[in-house]
Amino acid sequence: MNEIWSYPKIVAHRGGGILAPENTLSAIDCGHQYGHTMIEFDAKISEDQQVFLLHDDTLTRTTNTEGVAGALTWNELKHIDAGAWFSEKFAGERLPLLSEVAERCQRYGMFANIEIKPTAGLESLTGKHVACAAAAYWQNMPAPLLSSFSREALAAAQYEQPGLPRGYLMDEWQDDWQQVTQQLGCVSLHLNEQLLTDHRIQQIKAAGLRILAYTVNHPNRARQLLQQGVDMLCTDRIDLIGPNFAY
């Protein structure tokens, strides 16, 4: 599946990195304003199985509301303020649907890395709905790269939409990474940048996988990783590590 790889080297984390409230349309606008051509964001499902953007299981950190997001219907979620926590400038910002994000990507000509972020206990169901929605909304655009820490979510995505590229996320080193990526038909391995050494990079590349490193916020580290053969960097410092970053 590696033949379909056409993604840029720099990816704007959660849309706008540190410059806008994460996982919002304003964040995507911000990423575009800084010239980025690929964004990463987190997708989960509501109680009535609408696909929307949010990182955490709960709403507490990034909205004006508390509670488990996946336990609420979209009609309840769509009124929540997801911007005021970041700054008054973004007060009134809403949680976006995946369909709205697809529209932005089409408008800006952006690539997308959709991280499947299931509410606990909804791994397979989330993988299924996110993959199906992604296939429907990105029909006339380059295929989005699906990724997840959840093996169950990626397996469900693989079953529902085998043609969409997949990447497996690791925050800690897992010795069975090659077996897992083969089982899930992954094209890439997405790792905490602190896990990456020359030896590991060579191992992963020898297995035929692309590498995404997250979250790389220092230009010197970014240069080092790219020179070592890492394919993509996900960054919060979209202002310092831009789409034309020299390495």
Side-chain angles (χ1 to χ4, degrees):
M1 292 178 69
N2 276 6
E3 311 83 57
I4 67 170
W5 191 272
S6 58
Y7 304 115
K9 291 189 177 296
I10 308 299
V11 185
H13 190 220
R14 301 180 191 171
I18 63 168
L19 302 181
E22 64 183 61
N23 289 313
T24 62
L25 296 180
S26 286
I28 299 169
D29 292 342
C30 183
H32 171 68
Q33 288 162 11
Y34 276 80
H36 286 270
T37 57
M38 186 166 183
I39 53 171
E40 180 271 354
F41 52 87
D42 306 288
K44 56 181 2 92
I45 56 173
S46 63
E47 192 275 334
D48 51 347
Q49 298 174 2
Q50 296 298 302
V51 182
F52 69 100
L53 270 57
L54 188 72
H55 179 275
D56 301 356
D57 270 13
T58 64
L59 293 154
T60 308
R61 182 176 63 87
T62 57
T63 78
N64 64 345
T65 306
E66 297 183 352
V68 176
L72 300 178
T73 65
W74 177 246
N75 194 50
E76 294 170 306
L77 290 164
K78 69 182 183 181
H79 301 293
I80 291 172
D81 188 318
W85 69 274
F86 188 85
S87 75
E88 285 190 14
K89 173 185 174 183
F90 294 100
E93 185 78 25
R94 304 301 180 193
L95 299 167
L97 287 167
L98 188 63
S99 57
E100 296 176 294
V101 175
E103 289 171 3
R104 279 295 204 284
C105 287
Q106 187 166 43
R107 182 191 308 175
Y108 295 147
M110 276 182 162
F111 294 90
N113 172 199
I114 306 174
E115 182 180 341
I116 304 170
K117 204 76 176 177
T119 299
L122 298 177
E123 286 79 11
S124 293
L125 193 64
T126 305
K128 169 186 174 179
H129 283 286
V130 172
C132 288
Y137 300 145
W138 267 264
Q139 281 186 31
N140 301 313
M141 293 182 279
L145 176 60
L146 305 182
S147 62
S148 189
F149 290 101
S150 168
R151 300 181 185 187
E152 294 84 357
L154 279 181
Q158 178 187 25
Y159 179 80
E160 293 293 333
Q161 296 293 332
L164 290 181
R166 291 171 299 283
Y168 181 54
L169 274 156
M170 297 196 318
D171 197 46
E172 297 180 353
W173 187 255
Q174 299 169 25
D175 288 333
D176 63 348
W177 62 268
Q178 191 165 1
Q179 177 186 351
V180 173
T181 53
Q182 286 176 347
Q183 288 176 343
L184 295 172
C186 292
V187 300
S188 54
L189 193 58
H190 302 198
L191 305 99
N192 184 322
E193 60 96 2
Q194 296 177 12
L195 301 178
L196 286 166
T197 63
D198 250 333
H199 177 65
R200 285 176 173 173
I201 290 169
Q202 290 169 18
Q203 276 187 308
I204 297 164
K205 301 291 278 189
L209 293 167
R210 304 283 186 160
I211 302 172
L212 180 148
Y214 71 89
T215 306
V216 185
N217 294 329
H218 299 285
N220 288 342
R221 178 59 170 160
R223 289 189 189 93
Q224 178 188 33
L225 289 168
L226 291 172
Q227 288 167 0
Q228 288 175 308
V230 169
D231 298 281
M232 298 168 68
L233 307 178
C234 193
T235 183
D236 282 319
R237 292 308 308 264
I238 68 169
D239 50 340
L240 295 180
I241 303 173
N244 300 313
F245 182 72
Y247 65 97

